[in-house]
């Protein structure tokens, strides 16, 4: 038996694992790595059952070519030749913009080298049409942070004495964080939870409030109203660093607690109490994550409001508040000089693409615009797509339209671990290496957790003919004649090349620091010596950049449109979608019997009052409907949700909630869709 250390990539958070490998080279057992700074020995059911996923009989074992209604096994050579020939044909006929590359969460969290490498391939081909899940995950907050602070800030709850857990449920989405927060609470840290569902942490909280979904910006402005009117802010900081604070002071007068109570349903007295606690118990942080406040249609402004709350209370770039970290030096690998076109959405959502001339991410397009571009050929035809590590047929909103678009393509390639609703539409399907079957330098800790730490996600086993995503793009580039830009023999060589300026390498992280290594620093009050990296050098409470683009220069609450909830219209209820469930990751892992046993099927959460009003019974089927479609789903009647609100999860092939959501961009700044606060109705299924 051998124990090998690796960073878990199943849900992408990077927990440290000890993987026990038997004499035959098979993974026997997976345990938590006690010395890892994040999970400190803890693992979740998914990692514990990793072997059942890796060796699952349903896995894609070789490349496949579509033949009639089925698939035929082919060799990698044939697959690569077929992909290269078809992509060349599409480029010749329609130009390079006709290829779209779409990647999902497993690529996004594979480490920065993979994303830049995929982009290098796209640059060589000449397509700017790259789309990822961060059109609805996380990026709206990055944009808001940069517009306000000039950089991306992360909450540091592990060092906080007051934590506002706001629209995140770490018990399901970051289990080690839930554990840490409960431990801190026992030691006296003040815990405040803001969520329309009474989550496990909410039940232990000092204060729990349940706002009407989609009204969080009003609540944040209400907190600012109390903090400013009661003088609970850091006056020295504000005078020196907060550009436009005087305008904010006027602006927030419209958000008195009683007014905010009307908008959000949160009692004025609790708004006052939360504001006072947050401003006076130090250090304090607002612990959000990457998907809830972003998907309300006002993600960028929510991010700005939370940055302002953090900074004016003296909680920016201090441990326990918001922290920022130094970045890792990479070799630049983009070939932007070869790109003659900009991706979809740059004109309408320029800040999604970049702020002040600096790309956000790698300058992807806004994915919400892709289905229509494929279906209507505007602004240019998109006729082929490579889908890497995404089950977008289930996970992108408006599944009906996404499916129709994918089916209409001349050529579709999908690389995945398992057959999915997306791979079933592909002309060529490729077997991807799982996170236990490839080397990746996992450098996402700083981005995800504000932890200056790096670790190797190690190739521990090989599975049939699976290959890493980088290997596929490397091989494809060579077939397509881009060898001059892709001189590496292997993906590992390319990773080492990219990380060379940092001094990190696969060899070093494998032999010298297999348990990971601290890399870089957390920055503490860097602005005091260097100012804020914004055009004004200050924190931009009032954003001229937004004003010039026709947006609200100060965060301003606007009632979600179309409105929902108690308005007596056709869709009187409000649905939140996609709350995480611990056994699964999006649409993944439904095959693993032990995980499926924990949560056998999709169930929509509904309050007993709402259930009785609509004649819905616990455990019985119900029809859930929005303007986009309807599904039949089991009802779970629970006191732990606000009356009038329904909560449905995503990723279920048989009761797919994204048949009910819309891909229309809603946030005017980022183009993010609305997946929380969706107007809906429910009826008993007979
Ligand atoms: N088990 C598991 N973990 C995951 C993932 C997974 O698929 N499975 N996915 C990972 C990824 S990619 C992401 S982006 C993150 C997402 O992580 P989060 O966005 O933090 O998602 P959740 O932890 O499910 O928390 C969402 C909470 O927000 C509440 N909520 C919904 N609407 C509103 C609202 O309008 N206002 C407020 N205040 N609260 C609201 C819900 O009731 C729920 O309790 O999780 C990551 N972790
Ligand atoms: N309604 C609603 N929809 C949502 C959300 C919501 O809250 N509500 N959340 C959104 C968010 S935040 C996100 S991040 C997206 C996630 O959207 P996706 O990224 O599309 O989610 P998954 O279903 O996890 O799909 C990932 C696929 O990659 C495969 N895979 C795993 N590892 C690898 C690998 O290393 N390489 C390759 N090539 N494939 C791999 C898996 O088998 C799986 O089929 O969903 C979004 N969709
Ligand atoms: S939470 Fe579970 S699946 Fe996610 S990285 Fe940690 S151990 Fe892996
Ligand atoms: Mo996400």
């Amino acid at each position: 038996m051998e124990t090998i250390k690796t960073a878990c990539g199943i849900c992408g958070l990077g927990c440290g694992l000890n993987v026990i490998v038997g004499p035959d080279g098979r993974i026997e057992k997976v345990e938590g790595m006690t010395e890892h700074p994040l999970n400190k020995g803890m693992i979740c059911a998914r990692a514990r059952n990793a072997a059942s996923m890796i060796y699952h009989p349903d896995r894609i074992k070789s490349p496949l070519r579509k033949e009639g209604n089925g698939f035929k096994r082919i060799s990698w050579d044939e697959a690569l030749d077929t992909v290269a020939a078809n992509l060349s044909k599409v480029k010749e006929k329609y130009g390079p913009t006709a290829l779209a590359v779409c990647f999902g969460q497993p690529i996004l969290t594979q480490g920065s080298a993979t994303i830049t490498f995929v982009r290098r391939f796209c640059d060589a081909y000449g397509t700017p049409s790259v789309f990822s899940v961060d059109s609805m995950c996380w990026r709206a907050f990055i944009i808001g942070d940069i517009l306000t602070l000039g950089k991306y800030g992360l909450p540091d709850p592990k060092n906080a004495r007051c934590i506002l857990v706001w629209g995140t449920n770490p018990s399901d989405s970051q289990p080690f964080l839930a554990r840490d927060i409960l431990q801190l609470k026992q030691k006296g840290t003040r815990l405040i939870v803001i969520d329309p569902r009474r989550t496990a942490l909410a039940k232990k909280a000092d204060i729990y409030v349940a706002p009407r979904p989609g009204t969080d910006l009003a609540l944040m402005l209400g907190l600012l109203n109390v903090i400013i009117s009661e003088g609970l802010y850091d006056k020295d900081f504000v005078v020196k660093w907060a550009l436009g604070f005087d305008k904010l002071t006027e602006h927030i007068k419209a958000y008195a607690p009683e007014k905010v109570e009307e908008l959000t349903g949160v009692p004025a007295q609790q708004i006052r109490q939360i504001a006072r606690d947050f401003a006076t118990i130090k250090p304090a942080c607002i612990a959000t994550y990457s998907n809830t406040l972003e998907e309300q249609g006002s993600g960028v402004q929510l991010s700005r409001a939370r940055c302002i709350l953090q900074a004016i209370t003296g909680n920016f770039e201090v441990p326990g508040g918001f922290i920022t970290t130094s970045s890792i030096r990479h070799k630049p690998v983009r070939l932007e000089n070869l790109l003659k076109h900009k991706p979809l959405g740059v004109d309408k959502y320029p800040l999604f693409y970049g702020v002040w001339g600096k790309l956000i991410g790698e300058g992807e397009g806004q994915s919400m615009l892709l289905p229509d571009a494929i279906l209507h050929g505007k602004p240019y035809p998109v006729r082929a797509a490579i889908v890497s590590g995404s089950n977008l047929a289930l996970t992108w909103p408006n599944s009906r339209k996404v499916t129709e678009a994918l089916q209409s393509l001349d050529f579709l390639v999908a690389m995945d671990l398992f057959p999915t609703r997306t791979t079933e539409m592909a002309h060529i399907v490729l077997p991807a290496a799982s996170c236990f079957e490839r080397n990746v330098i996992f450098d996402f800790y700083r981005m995800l957790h504000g932890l200056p730490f790096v670790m190797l996600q190690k190739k521990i086993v090989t599975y049939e003919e699976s290959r890493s995503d980088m290997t596929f793009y490397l091989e494809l580039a060579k077939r397509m004649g881009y060898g001059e830009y892709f001189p590496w023999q292997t993906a590992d060589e390319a990773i080492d090349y990219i990380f060379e300026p940092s001094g990190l390498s696969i060899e070093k992280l494998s032999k010298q620091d297999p348990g990971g290594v601290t890399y870089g620093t957390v920055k503490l009050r860097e602005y005091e010596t260097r100012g804020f990296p914004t055009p004004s050098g200050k924190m931009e409470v009032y954003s001229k950049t937004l004003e010039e683009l026709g947006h609200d220069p100060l965060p301003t609450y606007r009632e979600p449109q179309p409105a929902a909830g108690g308005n007596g219209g056709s869709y009187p209820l409000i649905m939140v979608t996609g709350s995480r469930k611990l056994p699964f990751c999006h649409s993944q892992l439904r095959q693993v019997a032990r995980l499926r046993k924990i949560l056998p099927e999709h169930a929509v959460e509904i309050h007993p009052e709402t259930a009785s009003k609509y004649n819905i019974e616990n455990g019985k089927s119900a029809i859930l409907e929005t303007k986009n479609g309807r599904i039949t789903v089991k009802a779970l009647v629970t006191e732990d949700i606000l009356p009038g609100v329904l909560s449905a999860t995503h990723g279920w092939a048989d009761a797919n909630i994204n048949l009910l959501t819309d891909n229309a961009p809603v946030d005017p700044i980022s183009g993010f869709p609305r997946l929380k606060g969706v107007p809906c109705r429910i009826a008993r299924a007979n």
Side-chain angles (χ1 to χ4, degrees):
M1 294 282 193
E2 190 190 354
T3 300
I4 300 173
K5 294 192 185 299
T6 194
C8 183
I10 299 177
C11 84
L13 294 171
C15 292
L17 302 181
N18 289 333
V19 179
I20 294 128
V21 178
D24 57 355
R26 273 176 76 94
I27 293 178
E28 297 289 337
K29 207 172 164 198
V30 177
E31 293 174 346
M33 184 180 141
T34 45
E35 68 277 28
H36 196 278
L38 206 62
N39 55 314
K40 303 181 197 101
M42 185 182 192
I43 56 167
C44 72
R46 290 164 293 182
R48 208 174 303 116
N49 289 292
S52 308
M53 175 195 84
I54 297 166
Y55 303 115
H56 197 284
D58 290 355
R59 266 194 76 178
I60 301 167
K61 298 178 184 61
S62 73
L64 303 167
R65 190 181 59 223
K66 184 149 230 170
E67 277 201 1
N69 285 333
F71 285 95
K72 181 174 177 264
R73 185 173 186 139
I74 55 171
S75 67
W76 264 105
D77 274 341
E78 189 181 342
L80 287 165
D81 285 341
T82 310
V83 176
N86 278 280
L87 296 191
S88 300
K89 204 156 75 187
V90 163
K91 184 172 169 178
E92 219 167 88
K93 200 161 165 193
Y94 303 102
T97 45
L99 169 66
V101 170
C102 304
F103 59 83
Q105 187 252 330
I107 305 290
L108 205 62
T109 50
Q110 220 173 85
S112 53
T114 307
I115 303 169
T116 46
F117 198 74
V118 174
R119 291 308 306 258
R120 188 176 176 93
F121 169 83
C122 296
D123 295 344
Y125 185 92
T127 183
S129 307
V130 181
F131 302 92
S132 98
V133 283
D134 68 2
S135 295
M136 56 187 141
C137 174
W138 194 8
R139 189 182 282 215
F141 262 39
I142 298 179
I143 299 167
D145 283 21
I146 294 177
L147 283 170
T148 315
L149 306 166
K151 48 183 156 180
Y152 181 55
L154 272 168
D156 183 27
K158 62 188 177 303
N159 293 307
R161 290 200 51 242
C162 175
I163 308 172
L164 267 64
V165 175
W166 200 321
T168 184
N169 176 25
S171 306
D172 280 297
S173 64
Q174 296 191 75
F176 50 85
L177 179 60
R179 172 205 55 192
D180 290 353
I181 290 177
L182 285 174
Q183 282 173 359
L184 287 164
K185 161 96 182 85
Q186 275 182 349
K187 288 187 204 146
T189 289
R190 188 104 169 135
L191 176 60
I192 299 165
V193 175
I194 302 172
D195 195 310
R197 290 166 61 236
R198 191 190 307 269
T199 58
L201 286 185
K203 288 175 187 163
K204 306 268 179 182
D206 296 295
I207 305 177
Y208 164 60
V209 294
R212 191 158 63 85
T215 62
D216 297 83
L217 186 53
L219 189 53
M220 283 198 194
L221 291 161
L223 299 186
L224 282 169
N225 172 293
V226 176
I227 290 168
I228 295 173
S229 62
E230 296 189 4
L232 301 175
Y233 56 93
D234 180 339
K235 293 174 188 78
D236 290 344
F237 174 88
V238 161
V239 167
K240 238 171 147 176
W241 299 111
L243 185 77
F245 187 75
D246 50 334
K247 293 196 179 87
L248 179 72
T249 305
E250 276 306 304
H251 179 70
I252 48 86
K253 286 187 179 152
Y255 300 94
E258 281 68 22
K259 171 72 187 164
V260 172
E261 174 173 342
E262 277 170 35
L263 297 171
T264 62
V266 176
Q269 204 37 46
Q270 283 185 307
I271 297 171
R272 288 199 175 86
Q273 190 60 51
I274 295 171
R276 289 170 191 155
D277 283 356
F278 182 73
T280 57
I281 306 174
K282 291 192 173 137
C285 71
I286 304 177
T288 57
Y289 196 16
S290 50
N291 163 264
T292 301
L293 302 182
E294 288 85 337
E295 290 176 352
Q296 299 188 358
S298 51
V300 175
Q301 297 288 18
L302 270 158
S303 153
R304 282 176 36 66
R306 107 197 193 287
C307 290
I308 297 167
L309 275 166
Q310 284 289 152
I312 68 164
T313 53
N315 284 304
F316 180 56
E317 290 191 334
V318 295
F322 253 29
I323 49 172
T324 60
T325 57
S326 56
S327 48
I328 296 183
R329 297 225 317 274
H330 290 135
K331 278 242 177 78
V333 291
R334 291 293 304 274
L335 305 164
E336 280 164 272
N337 54 325
L338 300 181
L339 278 182
K340 297 190 178 56
H341 307 272
K342 294 270 184 247
L344 288 174
V346 174
D347 301 335
K348 201 143 186 228
Y349 307 103
L351 298 171
F352 178 85
Y353 182 70
V355 179
W356 307 317
K358 270 191 279 172
L359 293 186
I360 305 258
E362 293 284 330
E364 285 77 21
Q366 178 33 280
S367 309
M368 296 308 114
L369 304 175
L370 180 62
D372 285 300
I374 295 176
L375 290 169
H376 307 297
K378 284 188 186 144
Y380 41 71
V382 178
R383 300 307 318 148
I386 305 176
V387 176
S388 287
S390 176
N391 188 5
L392 71 170
L394 283 188
T395 55
W396 285 20
N398 202 341
S399 300
R400 203 181 312 278
K401 194 187 267 185
V402 172
T403 303
E404 206 185 312
L406 292 178
Q407 280 171 338
S408 76
L409 290 170
D410 296 356
F411 189 64
L412 175 64
V413 185
M415 184 153 176
D416 206 297
L417 311 179
F418 285 94
T420 67
R421 285 286 157 96
T422 306
T423 64
E424 75 189 22
M425 289 184 273
H427 299 97
I428 295 286
V429 176
L430 300 169
S434 79
C435 56
F436 298 90
E437 296 150 25
R438 50 160 159 73
N439 288 321
V440 153
I441 295 182
F442 191 86
D443 59 351
F444 254 57
Y445 292 109
R446 64 201 56 230
M447 208 54 198
L448 290 167
H449 317 288
L451 202 63
F453 188 76
V454 178
M455 192 177 171
L456 186 65
Q457 191 171 86
K458 201 161 192 245
K459 177 178 170 126
I460 298 172
V461 288
T462 51
Y463 181 79
E464 298 281 340
E465 293 182 44
S466 72
R467 291 187 182 176
S468 76
D469 295 286
M470 276 182 74
T471 304
F472 161 61
Y473 282 97
L474 177 63
E475 296 290 323
L476 181 62
K478 288 181 193 284
R479 300 275 161 149
M480 298 200 64
Y482 310 146
E484 64 175 304
Y485 304 119
F486 289 84
W488 308 283
Q489 292 306 309
T490 62
D492 284 3
E493 239 182 58
I495 291 172
D496 281 347
Y497 170 86
I498 294 168
F499 278 93
E500 200 214 87
S502 70
L504 297 165
S505 69
I506 291 174
E507 167 86 6
K508 177 177 174 330
L509 290 173
S510 172
K511 301 269 157 64
Q512 209 175 305
D513 299 302
V517 59
T518 299
Y519 185 95
T521 50
V522 171
K523 298 175 186 172
L524 299 179
R525 292 209 165 98
E526 191 187 48
Y527 59 86
E528 285 184 346
T529 48
R530 305 179 68 169
F532 284 82
T534 55
S536 63
K538 300 201 171 185
M539 171 172 83
E540 304 207 337
V541 170
Y542 187 94
S543 170
K544 275 226 149 48
T545 305
L546 286 176
E547 186 176 43
E548 279 161 19
L549 288 166
H551 302 300
D552 293 327
L554 290 166
T556 305
Y557 175 71
R558 295 178 192 285
E559 221 14 62
Q561 290 299 330
N567 61 359
S570 317
Y571 301 103
L573 303 174
I574 316 176
M575 178 169 62
V576 300
T577 71
S579 297
R580 279 26 179 180
K581 297 290 171 193
L582 192 60
F584 302 126
C585 188
H586 308 292
S587 71
Q588 299 180 61
L589 299 168
R590 304 301 193 283
Q591 309 86 344
V592 178
R594 282 217 200 101
L595 298 175
R596 192 65 183 258
K597 216 170 143 190
I598 304 173
L599 192 63
E601 62 187 321
H602 188 183
V604 60
E605 291 166 33
I606 180 169
H607 189 273
E609 268 174 33
T610 321
S612 94
K613 186 167 174 190
Y614 294 96
N615 201 14
I616 304 295
E617 273 182 64
N618 188 37
K620 295 275 166 63
S621 289
I623 296 166
L624 195 54
E625 191 171 352
T626 66
K627 71 174 180 52
N628 281 73
R630 50 155 65 187
I631 60 170
T632 303
V633 59
K634 194 132 295 161
L636 174 67
V637 179
T638 168
E639 299 270 354
D640 293 336
I641 189 165
L642 204 58
V645 174
L646 304 178
S647 171
T649 52
H650 69 301
W652 296 92
D654 298 331
N656 170 16
I657 199 63
N658 279 324
L659 285 166
L660 273 58
T661 55
D662 203 325
N663 66 313
V666 177
D667 181 355
I669 306 171
S670 67
F672 268 46
R674 176 176 296 129
L675 305 179
K676 322 288 174 200
V678 179
C680 72
R681 65 180 172 222
I682 194 164
R684 190 189 177 98
N686 291 312

